[in-house]
Amino acid sequence: MSAWRRAVAVVLAAACVIGNLLAQAGRRAHPTNDASTTLNVVATRTDGASGPITSKEISLFDNGVEQTIKNFAPDLSAAKIVLLVDNSLTIRADVDKLETATLEFAYEIYDGDKLLIVGYDNNAEIVSDWTDDAKKIQTELKSFRKKGDPHLFDAIMAVVGDALQPLSAQKRAIVVISDGLDRGSKTKFTQALSALQSLDIAVYCVQAPDRTRGAIRRDVPKPRQVIDDLAEGTGGRIFPIDDPSAAAKAICDELRKNRYVLSYLPQSVLFTESRRLLVMGERGIDARAKTMQPAN
C-alpha cells in the first residue's frame, strides 16, 4: 500500500473511532450545514422602531452554552393558525363571547394566512376547516355549543398531530381560547408541552376567567399555571378574553411582522437530554422563543 493510501486509511479509522466515542458520550457530530438547528424567535424593539433586527443584536444559549448564530432572518411568510376553543359546559364565557373572540381573528389575519377552528370538550371537533373567509367562519361558528368536560391536553395533541405536524415547512401557531382547565384528558400536560416544543409551535392564550378559582387538583396543574407554561414554554403570549379585538390584532401582527428564523450549529450539548434554551436581545430589544428543546 502506498504511503498516501496508508495515511488516508489511518485518518478514516481515527474518524470512525472519534464518531463512536461521540455517540457513546451522547453527543452528535455535525459534519455539514444540513445539521443546522432552526428556532423560531419573536423579536421587537422596545422603542417601537420597525427596523429589522440582526444576528449581532441577539444571543442564544443552549443548555447554558452560548452558541454561534449562523443566520437570523425575518420570516414574512403566511401563517397557519389553529384556534383551539374551549366550549365545555362550565367555562366562564358564554357562547357569544367565544364566537366573538374567535371571529376577531378572521378580521385580523394577513393575506395568505389561514385559520382552522377547533372546538373541544370531551372531544376535539373541527368547526371551520382551513380558510380565510370571514363570512364562512361566522356562519360555521353558529355550531358552537357548550357541553361536556374540557379535555384540553388531548385536544392539543390532536391538532398538533393531525393538523400542524404535516405542515412542518410552514409558520404554525395555536391560539388557545380557554381558562386552561383540563378535566379528564388521557394526555399529561408535560406530554402536550413537549410535543409543542419539539415542533416549535408557538401557543398564544386568550384567557377566560378561572372557573376553579385557584382550587388545587391532584396530579394536574392549576389552569393559570397551564396558561402560563403554554405561553412561556413555546414563546407565545397571554391576552384577556375581555378584549378579543386587541388580542387578535396583536397576535396576527406579531406573527407577520416580528417573527424571525434563527439557525445555529449546536455545539457542546447533549442530544439525549432535554435542553434549556434562552434567547436574549441587546438593550432595547425584547426576544422570545421556546424555552426547552426536548430530547431527540
Side-chain angles (χ1 to χ4, degrees):
M1 182 182 293
S2 66
W4 73 268
R5 287 187 177 179
R6 284 196 297 271
V8 169
V10 170
V11 170
L12 290 175
C16 290
V17 170
I18 292 172
N20 288 333
L21 290 174
L22 285 172
Q24 292 169 10
R27 300 182 186 274
R28 177 174 297 172
H30 294 284
T32 70
N33 289 337
D34 293 337
S36 294
T37 294
T38 60
L39 182 65
N40 294 314
V41 176
V42 172
T44 57
R45 298 188 184 277
T46 56
D47 62 3
S50 58
I53 295 168
T54 68
S55 60
K56 294 180 180 180
E57 300 171 285
I58 296 291
S59 298
L60 168 66
F61 296 84
D62 189 327
N63 242 22
V65 179
E66 186 168 9
Q67 304 291 318
T68 299
I69 298 173
K70 292 179 57 182
N71 192 47
F72 187 74
D75 182 0
L76 302 179
S77 63
K80 292 293 184 71
I81 306 169
V82 176
L83 301 181
L84 190 58
V85 187
D86 183 341
N87 54 200
S88 60
L89 184 61
T90 57
I91 187 169
R92 293 174 62 191
D94 57 31
V95 170
D96 288 342
K97 179 170 282 191
L98 295 173
E99 288 183 10
T100 299
T102 304
L103 188 58
E104 290 293 344
F105 285 86
Y107 302 137
E108 294 294 342
I109 57 174
Y110 284 75
D111 185 37
D113 293 349
K114 293 291 179 65
L115 299 174
L116 172 68
I117 301 171
V118 177
Y120 71 92
D121 40 66
N122 294 75
N123 300 295
E125 299 179 354
I126 293 176
V127 176
S128 184
D129 212 340
W130 291 113
T131 184
D132 58 1
D133 187 336
K135 290 184 178 180
K136 177 177 180 288
I137 290 173
Q138 185 172 18
T139 298
E140 293 177 334
L141 285 180
K142 297 304 179 185
S143 64
F144 265 156
R145 72 285 179 273
K146 293 174 62 174
K147 70 172 186 178
D149 290 323
H151 289 205
L152 171 59
F153 308 155
D154 286 346
I156 289 173
M157 292 297 284
V159 298
V160 167
D162 296 340
L164 293 178
Q165 189 169 3
L167 307 176
S168 58
Q170 301 182 46
K171 183 189 295 180
R172 302 166 294 178
I174 297 175
V175 178
V176 174
I177 302 177
S178 171
D179 63 352
L181 177 65
D182 183 279
R183 184 171 286 147
S185 283
K186 294 180 180 179
T187 304
K188 299 295 185 183
F189 177 65
T190 52
Q191 294 174 313
L193 182 57
S194 179
L196 292 163
Q197 291 172 329
S198 292
L199 296 174
D200 204 356
I201 297 171
V203 177
Y204 295 85
C205 300
V206 179
Q207 188 174 25
D210 181 358
R211 77 193 87 177
T212 70
R213 294 177 172 83
I216 297 175
R217 298 179 60 235
R218 188 178 61 181
D219 299 329
V220 179
K222 292 182 179 181
R224 179 55 192 263
Q225 192 64 50
V226 168
I227 294 293
D228 289 348
D229 289 352
L230 281 175
E232 181 181 355
T234 64
R237 292 173 64 189
I238 302 170
F239 300 86
I241 199 171
D242 292 333
D243 194 355
S245 177
K249 178 173 174 49
I251 293 169
C252 293
D253 283 354
E254 181 167 287
L255 287 171
R256 181 55 63 97
K257 298 178 180 179
N258 302 123
R259 278 261 296 216
Y260 292 77
V261 176
L262 179 156
S263 65
Y264 71 108
L265 201 64
Q267 299 293 327
S268 302
V269 298
L270 292 172
F271 287 82
T272 55
E273 300 176 357
S274 294
R275 311 187 325 261
R276 279 278 177 189
L277 300 178
L278 175 63
V279 175
M280 299 176 61
E282 290 188 350
R283 178 174 295 183
I285 295 175
D286 285 335
R288 301 194 320 273
K290 66 180 182 180
T291 59
M292 186 74 70
Q293 175 58 50
N296 292 346

